[in-house]
Amino acid sequence: MRFTSEQRLDDDLLEREFTLGEIPGILWTPASASASAPAPLILLGHPPLGLHRMYPRLVARARHSAAEGFATATIELPGSGDRPRWPAGDQARADMRRAMEAGEPVSDEVVDALVLPLVDKAVPEWQAALDALLALPEIGGPVGYSGGVISIGIRLAVVEPRIVAAGFFAGSFVPRAMFEEARQVTIPLHVLLQWDDEGNDRQAALDLFDAFGSKEKSLHANTGGHTGVPQFAGDAAAQFFTRHLK
């Protein structure tokens, strides 16, 4: 991991951009974090729209988490931002948009082509980032995962034992193969569902929640579309991570 920039934000939150090989990322640490008092870590997932585009939402989440004493970090997903293009992913995204604009269902083949290779590529990168982040003296466990592409979160929850709790947003297409992986998830889960999300199959989201094997799992459903998440929903997620990471 190589840090490429550093700035102290106005609320004393330290923001450092880094690269891990060819992968860009950002780490936010609260003023309270130190070698003698390392901060628990939350990995901030996000959709494959690019870190620059997602930055305002990511830094807002980082600030909210820092107020609770958590460090947060994120990395650029494969094929996004300034990373090399991923032609197969671009084609699958175009096929998905075409179906949605025509009012047609998105086929399982398109969902598989879009999501499964992304999961296979992204999860080892998240694990490599986690290795590097936990080697920093001011960062400690336990670790949580929050938001982003839910299928990436599912795979991480299955294969990464250092992640002890996860907050998922039921707002992306999920391949049928991921339902079997969901049954292997056993860590505590906090799942947010926007009931009127125009781009989400509500019944599929409910079926996925039912499939999770966790003994502790809670579903928080609110009326409104994809971007209409109420402020109190974020507060509830913060309380969830405080319970499990402190």
Side-chain angles (χ1 to χ4, degrees), residues 47-79:
L49 301 174
L51 283 182
H52 293 302
R53 181 173 171 184
M54 291 301 302
Y55 176 82
R57 290 163 62 183
L58 288 166
V59 74
R61 292 164 63 192
R63 283 187 158 119
H64 200 236
S65 297
E68 304 296 327
F70 298 121
T72 49
T74 193
I75 58 174
E76 188 74 87
L77 292 175

Side-chain angles (χ1 to χ4, degrees), residues 16 23 35 51 106 174:
R16 286 175 284 178
I23 308 166
L51 283 182
V106 179
V174 180

Side-chain angles (χ1 to χ4, degrees), residues 145-225:
Y145 177 87
S146 174
V149 178
I150 194 170
S151 292
I152 292 176
I154 291 170
R155 176 71 58 80
L156 277 169
V158 172
V159 304
E160 182 46 74
R162 292 172 291 185
I163 295 175
V164 301
F168 292 153
F169 181 60
S172 54
F173 291 100
V174 180
R176 294 186 184 278
M178 296 305 302
F179 281 70
E180 187 55 43
E181 292 194 38
R183 294 183 177 91
Q184 302 173 49
V185 174
T186 58
I187 61 174
L189 297 179
H190 178 101
V191 182
L192 178 63
L193 171 63
Q194 285 301 101
W195 200 251
D196 308 302
D197 190 338
E198 58 282 356
N200 188 40
D201 184 332
R202 183 195 302 163
Q203 188 57 54
L206 295 173
D207 291 344
L208 179 64
F209 180 80
D210 191 48
F212 286 127
S214 303
K215 291 183 178 178
E216 181 187 333
K217 57 180 179 179
S218 58
L219 178 67
H220 299 254
N222 298 285
T223 57

Side-chain angles (χ1 to χ4, degrees), residues 19-44:
T19 57
L20 189 67
E22 65 170 17
I23 308 166
I26 309 174
L27 169 65
W28 294 275
T29 48
S32 60
S34 65
S36 60
L41 176 66
I42 298 176
L43 303 177
L44 299 183

Side-chain angles (χ1 to χ4, degrees), residues 91-103:
Q91 181 61 55
R93 253 188 298 276
D95 292 341
M96 180 189 71
R97 281 196 300 269
R98 204 159 29 241
M100 294 179 69
E101 288 169 0

Side-chain angles (χ1 to χ4, degrees), residues 5-144:
S5 72
E6 177 178 315
Q7 64 172 329
R8 183 75 65 174
L9 304 184
D10 54 13
D11 46 5
D12 212 25
L13 180 65
L14 180 62
E15 177 183 281
R16 286 175 284 178
E17 295 187 3
F18 64 83
T19 57
L20 189 67
E22 65 170 17
I23 308 166
I26 309 174
L27 169 65
W28 294 275
T29 48
S32 60
S34 65
S36 60
L41 176 66
I42 298 176
L43 303 177
L44 299 183
H46 55 90
L49 301 174
L51 283 182
H52 293 302
R53 181 173 171 184
M54 291 301 302
Y55 176 82
R57 290 163 62 183
L58 288 166
V59 74
R61 292 164 63 192
R63 283 187 158 119
H64 200 236
S65 297
E68 304 296 327
F70 298 121
T72 49
T74 193
I75 58 174
E76 188 74 87
L77 292 175
S80 297
D82 297 327
R83 294 190 63 181
R85 302 313 304 166
W86 174 29
D90 291 341
Q91 181 61 55
R93 253 188 298 276
D95 292 341
M96 180 189 71
R97 281 196 300 269
R98 204 159 29 241
M100 294 179 69
E101 288 169 0
E104 301 171 353
V106 179
S107 70
D108 289 345
E109 290 76 13
V110 169
V111 173
D112 288 355
L114 177 63
V115 179
L116 292 178
L118 178 62
V119 172
D120 290 342
K121 293 172 183 287
V123 166
E125 294 181 352
W126 274 111
Q127 292 182 288
L130 188 53
D131 290 341
L133 290 162
L134 290 178
L136 299 173
E138 68 273 27
I139 306 297
V143 180

